[in-house]
Amino acid sequence: MRVPLSWLREYVDLPATETGRDVQAKLVAVGLEVETVEQIGAGLTGPLVVGQVLTIEELEGFKKPIRFCTVDVGTANGTGEPQEIVCGARNFAVGDKVVVVLPGAVLPGDFAIAARKTYGKTSHGMICSTDELGMGDDGTHGIIVLPPEHEAGTDAIELLELVDEVLDIAVTPDRGYCLSMRGVARETAIAYGLPLRDPALLDVPAPNAYGYPVKVSDPIGCSRFTARTVVGLQPEARTPIWMQRRLQKAGMRPISLAVDVTNYVMLELGQPLHAYDRTRIDGPIGVRRAEQGEKLTTLDGAVRVLDAGDLVITDNRGPIGLAGVMGGADTEIADAAEGAHTAEVVIEAAHFDAISIARTARRHKLPSEASKRFERGVDPQAAAAAAQRTVDLLVLLAGGTAEAGVTEVSAPSAPRTITMPADHPDQVAGVTYGRETVVRRLQEVGCDVYGQDELLVTTPSWRPDLNEPNDLAEEVIRLEGYENLPSTLPTPPSGRGLTDRQRLHRRVGRALAGAGYVEALNYPFIGEAVLDQLGLEADDARRRTVKLVNPLSDEEPSLRTTLLPGLLGALRRNDGRGSHDLALFETGLVFLPTGQETEPVRLPVDRRPSDEEIASLDAALPRQPRRAAVVLAGAREQAGWWGKGRPADWADSVEAARTIAREAGVEVAVRADRHAPWHPGRCAALYVTVAGEETLFGHAGELHPRVVKELHLPERTCAMEVDLDVLEQTVDGVLRAPRISTFPVATQDVALVVGQDVPAADVERALRDGAGELLESLRLFDVFTGEQIGEGRKSLAYALRFRAADRTLTVDEASAARDTAVALAAERTGAVLRGA
């Protein structure tokens, strides 16, 4: 919300010496987030005056149209003679009143004005546009043409209110009343301890039976609808300069008088309004839910296909507006600048359901100033005052006549009341405020307060966020000053540290970082599209997701069931920005619904929830195991003077899983597998032993080429994802360090020839089982294929390290262990010792 300081002073008598920075500090102290204070017209100095165009001479022989003008600027130039000015704009004529900057002036951006020769003439100044004066967009992008009543020589800086300060306030969702001058003025008055001149305190005529007919079919979606009619609007009536300038400073573009008045009142009172051309409405106005598939052309020219959940304004022909979001083109106010004219308008001031408007605006991707206010909560009692204010301005500025009919359709409602102990804010803040302070602060925000020790508080209609005692306590605390709350550090219990689970997770993160991976934290949201791109089958468990009621993005409405989409997205973004050698990792939760979740309970805030209440809340949650995942692309080892580099491949992703498993002190068994999104021939299923049984731990390998293409990833991208909860189950108590033998190692190398389709992991498993307890480690260091081996065969070379804990092994003992290992490998896999 942009708040011009000059406009704010109309409602609060601020000290004349107060600057925008001073007001910013006061508003921040009461809880408003004032992001910036914009100095409008900073550096602007005159003379800048109103001028009347006397003559225009068209200069020829140039690439673009150029005009040589004489302009009457009164006595502002010191001589009273017409000012000669060269100008390229075409949207003014002889007799028009324009804004002229004279030599010696400085425009925004430190643009000094001086007499200069151009296009064969000497130009003594410049005829100004809104852009040159920093006024914002007025829709013309041309020279400012003023109403004829302003005298030549009048100071244009004061006339156009070119020097001002504008506070830019970031309004949080619970403070919707501050999306208006009325709301910000109320907070300013409280901050300064000054009285407020409430612009909504108007004399409003009572509803009667001869206003414009309105029928509300959905009182839940529309709890109040006020309609007023103004006729006889003068076609020559234009938006006055002061109103245009206030709209521009608030970030809105002037359009036409009727539309500008409704926008002005919305900014002033916070009540969105809409004006219909009465001659273009067919029959009574209605409010109902849309029929599925109905169409409406909105003011932006787009044809909207409506949803059954959309609330619409209708006439006899069908929808004429998207309620609380945007009006329809069929009843649009005519633009006098285009030669059309609207003489009769029906003014709508309604109160719509916040959730319904928010959903409609998001469904149609149509955020508007109206929907922004409705979804945060609008004062339902302000509708009649806003309609009256609009009527008064149209009568005053457009010469219209207000018809006597006043339509008001409203659903029965009662004010909200909250019962609160008088010392409740004291208990929340840990500060003794006292009953008098509590009552005074609540009355300042508009509450009616009764009672002594037990307060009965009636909340104001413009504060829908006040629903319980804690909300009232927050109001007292913020107005008394958060900075006045004492800082008390809690005393942590002694003897507690990280749990075994937390230690494991930290070790995993450090191990991956030590292996060259960079941690990337991603949002836990996914959509159906990325699951399709990953090539998941229709019955894949990862497609069963938890959908959010209010997602940040409609394209990602679900909680993730795998870490890969976020990591692959981060890899794609970094690759697109020139970082091609990438190794990323993430540890985080995934969300797996079981289908047995219960309805969650609302936990109390005034006491500790019981064990049963906590258990019922846990039962409503999906299963949330913690996973670890890595993605790789480009070079895994860089080339340099030390030697050749090598690209990342599927084996690196498997090694990442082994790195993680080593932190739990367990070995990973690798099996060939087919599992999306991995390449069917380069996918490994990873197993660890839990309670004596092999348990699936995760998958690793190279991604399927189709997945790489769909996600626009680098070629041969590899990935790994494992379940840390399964890994945790393998840890049996305290992690024990391995025993270090003081005796030397005996190394034996073997090369085994096996069929091309025999997995190296199967050969390795057989060697381990056959070698027995003397085997310390086993490593595959070479894979060879060629004519010497034979077609369809491959040679696997392993280094076996043997060591005993109590003695030095003899050659015979090491050889015997090796031979036993080779024999078992031959029995299980058909391996043949190479060269035998």
Side-chain angles (χ1 to χ4, degrees):
M1 176 69 187
R2 291 173 56 84
V3 179
L5 187 59
S6 59
W7 194 357
L8 185 63
R9 289 180 183 275
E10 279 200 6
Y11 313 116
V12 184
D13 290 326
L14 294 173
T17 56
E18 287 294 282
T19 66
R21 296 291 183 190
D22 298 329
V23 177
Q24 177 189 29
K26 287 284 189 178
L27 292 179
V28 169
V30 296
L32 287 184
E33 185 180 345
V34 184
E35 294 187 326
T36 60
V37 178
E38 182 181 346
Q39 306 291 330
I40 294 181
L44 173 64
T45 59
L48 184 72
V49 298
V50 176
Q52 183 173 17
V53 180
L54 301 177
T55 64
I56 297 177
E57 177 187 349
E58 300 288 346
L59 302 182
E60 299 179 352
F62 301 102
K63 293 183 179 179
K64 62 179 182 178
I66 298 297
R67 311 167 98 186
F68 181 64
C69 311
T70 58
V71 185
D72 177 14
V73 294
T75 59
N77 57 5
T79 65
E81 296 295 324
Q83 201 79 359
E84 296 179 340
I85 298 174
V86 175
C87 183
R90 313 289 296 175
N91 67 314
F92 64 95
V94 172
D96 283 347
K97 298 291 181 65
V98 294
V99 178
V100 179
V101 58
L102 301 177
V106 179
L107 295 183
D110 199 26
F111 180 26
I113 301 299
R116 66 189 183 96
K117 190 167 185 179
T118 179
Y119 297 103
K121 301 284 187 178
T122 300
S123 182
H124 299 274
M126 185 170 68
I127 302 175
C128 298
S129 68
T130 56
D131 292 337
E132 291 157 343
L133 297 180
M135 294 173 58
D137 184 15
D138 66 349
T140 66
H141 300 289
I143 293 302
I144 302 170
V145 178
L146 300 172
E149 63 267 19
H150 300 292
E151 293 294 330
T154 302
D155 183 6
I157 295 179
E158 181 178 350
L159 174 66
L160 299 178
E161 301 178 16
L162 295 178
V163 178
D164 202 350
E165 294 180 277
V166 177
L167 286 71
D168 194 350
I169 302 175
V171 179
T172 54
D174 62 329
R175 308 289 288 279
Y177 66 98
C178 285
L179 287 172
S180 67
M181 294 300 303
R182 180 194 185 200
V184 176
R186 178 175 284 105
E187 293 294 315
T188 306
I190 294 172
Y192 279 90
L194 296 171
L196 168 71
R197 287 187 291 274
D198 191 343
L201 295 180
L202 302 173
D203 291 330
V204 179
N208 51 52
Y210 40 92
Y212 198 92
V214 174
K215 181 182 179 181
V216 177
S217 301
D218 189 342
I220 295 177
C222 177
S223 59
R224 184 180 297 269
F225 194 108
T226 300
R228 300 289 299 276
T229 305
V230 180
V231 299
L233 302 184
Q234 300 301 313
E236 68 276 4
R238 297 290 183 269
T239 306
I241 291 175
W242 63 266
M243 182 177 287
Q244 291 188 45
R245 290 298 294 133
R246 287 186 174 180
L247 291 173
Q248 288 172 332
K249 292 175 187 177
M252 302 189 77
R253 179 171 64 86
I255 298 173
S256 64
L257 178 56
V259 175
D260 292 346
V261 166
T262 59
N263 287 336
Y264 178 84
V265 175
M266 177 185 69
L267 292 173
E268 184 178 49
L269 302 182
Q271 169 66 55
L273 301 113
H274 190 69
Y276 300 92
D277 187 329
R278 187 167 76 166
T279 63
R280 302 174 73 178
I281 303 176
D282 182 5
I285 291 176
V287 183
R288 62 169 171 82
R289 296 289 171 176
E291 297 177 6
Q292 189 68 37
E294 271 189 303
K295 293 184 178 180
L296 168 68
T297 302
T298 46
L299 289 173
D300 58 357
V303 178
R304 312 279 174 181
V305 179
L306 304 179
D307 184 87
D310 295 333
L311 196 66
V312 293
I313 311 298
T314 65
D315 64 5
N316 289 337
R317 296 166 298 180
I320 59 173
L322 206 52
V325 180
M326 185 174 285
D330 290 343
T331 56
E332 181 180 7
I333 298 294
D335 190 349
E338 298 177 358
H341 174 57
T342 294
E344 302 177 1
V345 297
V346 176
I347 301 159
E348 166 207 304
H351 185 265
F352 299 114
D353 176 63
I355 295 176
S356 176
I357 299 306
R359 287 176 177 171
T360 294
R362 293 189 182 187
R363 186 181 296 120
H364 293 281
K365 297 179 174 61
L366 190 60
S368 65
E369 291 292 334
S371 67
K372 181 168 68 174
R373 286 164 172 79
F374 277 123
E375 64 188 32
R376 285 167 171 78
V378 169
D379 182 2
Q381 303 298 326
Q388 182 62 44
R389 175 69 165 149
T390 305
V391 169
D392 292 342
L393 287 172
L394 288 176
V395 170
L396 175 67
L397 302 176
T401 302
E403 290 193 347
V406 177
T407 301
E408 184 167 306
V409 180
S410 60
S413 63
R416 291 189 310 280
T417 57
I418 303 172
T419 301
M420 179 186 75
D423 64 348
H424 182 65
D426 302 6
Q427 300 296 325
V428 173
V431 175
T432 302
Y433 293 122
R435 179 188 177 280
E436 290 74 16
T437 299
V438 171
V439 171
R440 174 171 58 84
R441 289 303 191 184
L442 292 178
Q443 289 175 338
E444 285 177 346
V445 299
C447 296
D448 292 330
V449 186
Y450 303 95
Q452 293 298 320
D453 294 338
E454 194 80 9
L455 301 180
L456 182 64
V457 182
T458 302
T459 61
S461 57
W462 58 83
R463 293 298 301 273
D465 59 305
L466 302 181
N467 296 302
E468 56 184 36
N470 284 329
D471 296 331
L472 301 178
E474 181 185 1
E475 292 300 298
V476 174
I477 295 168
R478 76 173 178 89
L479 294 180
E480 283 296 303
Y482 290 120
E483 69 278 6
N484 296 323
L485 294 177
S487 297
T488 305
L489 292 176
T491 303
S494 60
R496 294 185 182 180
L498 297 177
T499 64
D500 292 339
R501 174 186 176 89
Q502 291 169 329
R503 289 192 184 96
L504 175 62
H505 294 166
R506 292 198 177 188
R507 290 201 306 271
V508 166
R510 286 195 292 266
L512 289 174
Y517 291 86
V518 177
E519 187 171 16
L521 301 178
N522 300 289
Y523 286 118
F525 310 119
I526 59 172
E528 285 292 329
V530 74
L531 299 179
D532 294 336
Q533 291 170 330
L534 290 176
L536 304 188
E537 298 290 342
D539 59 349
D540 194 300
R542 288 169 290 178
R543 283 191 177 274
R544 294 197 298 273
T545 59
V546 177
K547 288 187 168 53
L548 300 173
V549 174
N550 192 21
L552 292 179
S553 168
D554 291 336
E555 295 179 356
E556 295 180 330
S558 303
L559 293 173
R560 66 188 176 191
T561 54
T562 168
L563 299 181
L564 293 182
L567 271 179
L568 293 174
L571 184 140
R572 179 179 62 248
R573 286 191 297 274
N574 282 276
D575 182 71
R577 287 164 172 75
S579 298
H580 303 302
D581 303 325
L582 297 162
L584 308 178
F585 84 93
E586 180 178 11
T587 62
L589 300 179
V590 296
F591 306 86
L592 307 177
T594 63
Q596 300 176 356
E597 290 82 8
T598 59
E599 186 74 19
V601 298
R602 185 181 178 89
L603 296 181
V605 295
D606 56 346
R607 60 174 175 81
R608 182 189 182 281
S610 67
D611 293 341
E612 292 77 14
E613 289 172 327
I614 295 176
S616 65
L617 184 63
D618 288 340
L621 299 176
R623 196 165 65 86
Q624 300 177 50
R626 183 172 289 273
R627 300 270 181 88
V630 305
V631 293
L632 305 99
R636 185 69 179 118
E637 295 178 3
Q638 298 290 336
W641 56 264
W642 52 85
K644 294 181 179 180
R646 68 172 183 85
D649 61 17
W650 63 269
D652 292 302
S653 63
V654 174
E655 182 58 29
R658 290 195 171 107
T659 300
I660 291 173
R662 279 194 290 268
E663 296 304 314
V666 297
E667 293 289 336
V668 176
V670 181
R671 307 270 196 282
D673 198 5
R674 299 172 67 91
H675 188 72
W678 284 275
H679 190 298
R682 296 168 188 158
C683 173
L686 310 171
Y687 292 86
V688 292
T689 302
V690 178
E693 295 184 1
E694 280 196 345
T695 303
L696 183 64
F697 171 47
H699 289 85
E702 183 181 316
L703 294 182
H704 198 291
R706 281 199 299 268
V707 174
V708 170
K709 182 178 180 181
E710 286 287 336
L711 293 175
H712 306 289
L713 300 172
E715 291 183 359
R716 311 300 290 270
T717 296
C718 300
M720 177 277 295
E721 183 171 20
V722 294
D723 192 331
L724 294 182
D725 285 3
V726 172
L727 185 66
E728 184 185 359
Q729 297 172 27
T730 66
V731 180
D732 184 15
V734 178
L735 186 64
R736 292 177 177 82
R739 291 183 61 184
I740 306 299
S741 175
T742 59
F743 296 95
V745 66
T747 303
Q748 295 276 349
D749 293 344
V750 295
L752 302 177
V753 179
V754 296
Q756 190 73 40
D757 59 344
V758 175
D762 290 351
V763 179
E764 180 178 330
R765 190 177 309 106
L767 290 173
R768 286 185 184 279
D769 293 344
E773 295 181 353
L774 294 179
L775 181 67
E776 182 178 81
S777 68
L778 181 151
R779 179 174 62 90
L780 174 68
F781 66 86
D782 184 54
V783 179
F784 176 76
T785 58
E787 294 180 359
Q788 302 94 321
I789 304 301
E791 187 176 353
R793 310 282 283 174
K794 62 184 176 183
S795 172
L796 305 176
Y798 290 93
L800 290 78
R801 291 167 56 93
F802 297 99
R803 195 193 313 254
D806 56 351
R807 67 188 187 281
T808 300
L809 293 177
T810 65
V811 174
D812 291 341
E813 286 177 311
S815 298
R818 178 202 62 190
D819 293 343
T820 304
V822 171
L824 187 59
E827 178 184 336
R828 290 185 180 178
T829 66
V832 177
L833 193 62
R834 186 174 173 184

